[in-house]
Amino acid sequence: MSSYHDPFDALFALQRALDARLASDWMGAGTTAGGSYPPVNIFQQGDDFVVVVELPGVAKSDLSIEAKENAIRIAGKKEVTYQEDASIHRRERIRGVFDRTIAIPIQIDPDRIRAEYRDGVLALFIPRAELEKPRTIKIT
Amino acid sequence: MATDHELQVQRKREVETKEESTMPARLFQPQTDIFETSEALTLVLEMPGVDKGSVEVKVENDVLNIEGRVDFSKYEGLQPLYTEYNVGHYARSFRLSSKIEQEGISAELKDGVMTLVLPKAEKAKARKIKVT
């Protein structure tokens, strides 16, 4: 992306880039089911990975994240409450529990994963395992 | 309340309007709960990624317009590998069924969920009718 872009064009470009990798085969076949809650987006940032998950209405304290080898488990509950004496016009928000494991098809360093949760969006910063990093080979 | 059932993915809905928008980017409709009490109308809208400073709420001709903008600059330098959802700004409008005290509208944003309380105007409040 150029630095002199129209912000709307930049958003459109991002939306197209996301669409292009929709349910791509990067995760490999059959490891973990796509289409379970919550939906995830996986990005590459330099050598490392970023997983972004939208979890609106999930309190940080109701969210648990575990990592083991190359698998990351995201579990928790989403609560929706209504006022007692209110009459309901529309009910679209969903509530319930979730438990999803995603397997990164590349060796990662599970001990150095960093998680950020803000405004209902969870971002997991996942470093690639040292041994997986490309090395420059010196010609002697 | 029991909350032990498993959550299913709710696909994001794109905004469909009669008028064509001038910008090519897609907009999404926040999932919304609306309930009414004798004093106010409350809307709860899911807008993940929207922070306090990026929401606009307007009432015009009895139509409530809500807009939430996401900070997509966070995605700069990220190259998508595998995706399951798209991101974009949020917009939704509702025709109000009762008169609202515009000055009294309050909004609270927490974990990507905005709670909007629209107090009813005095004359729009329901009166209890005594049966004599």
Side-chain angles (χ1 to χ4, degrees), chain A residues 69-86:
Chain A
E69 289 169 6
N70 69 331
I72 297 153
R73 182 179 174 188
I74 302 162
K77 68 167 189 269
K78 175 170 149 72
E79 282 185 292
V80 172
T81 51
Y82 302 101
Q83 221 173 306
E84 281 289 301
D85 57 345

Side-chain angles (χ1 to χ4, degrees), chain A residues 6-31:
Chain A
D6 176 347
F8 294 121
D9 281 350
L11 176 57
F12 192 42
L14 169 68
Q15 289 179 337
R16 273 181 306 184
L18 289 170
D19 261 349
R21 304 300 286 176
L22 193 67
S24 75
D25 55 10
W26 184 79
M27 290 270 267
T31 46

Side-chain angles (χ1 to χ4, degrees), chain A:
Chain A
M1 266 185 250
S2 94
S3 46
Y4 298 105
H5 51 59
D6 176 347
F8 294 121
D9 281 350
L11 176 57
F12 192 42
L14 169 68
Q15 289 179 337
R16 273 181 306 184
L18 289 170
D19 261 349
R21 304 300 286 176
L22 193 67
S24 75
D25 55 10
W26 184 79
M27 290 270 267
T31 46
T32 42
S36 32
Y37 191 94
V40 299
N41 280 348
I42 305 176
F43 300 87
Q44 187 164 350
Q45 186 180 39
D47 283 336
D48 304 330
F49 303 101
V50 184
V51 174
V52 185
V53 192
E54 290 186 340
L55 294 161
V58 177
K60 202 188 245 176
S61 54
D62 286 335
L63 191 58
S64 97
I65 300 147
E66 284 172 26
K68 195 179 161 189
E69 289 169 6
N70 69 331
I72 297 153
R73 182 179 174 188
I74 302 162
K77 68 167 189 269
K78 175 170 149 72
E79 282 185 292
V80 172
T81 51
Y82 302 101
Q83 221 173 306
E84 281 289 301
D85 57 345
S87 73
I88 292 166
H89 292 214
R90 252 173 220 270
R91 189 182 278 190
E92 295 174 355
R93 299 175 59 221
I94 49 166
R95 62 187 171 86
V97 293
F98 56 90
D99 191 337
R100 181 172 183 185
T101 301
I102 49 170
I104 303 291
I106 290 162
Q107 281 295 304
I108 55 164
D109 186 346
D111 298 327
R112 291 199 297 129
I113 296 176
R114 195 164 53 80
E116 252 178 42
Y117 185 62
R118 189 173 308 142
D119 299 323
V121 179
L122 172 72
L124 297 170
F125 299 91
I126 306 164
R128 193 187 283 252
E130 240 3 272
L131 58 98
E132 279 273 353
K133 282 195 181 152
R135 257 152 250 247
T136 314
I137 290 134
K138 241 195 191 153
I139 305 167
T140 47

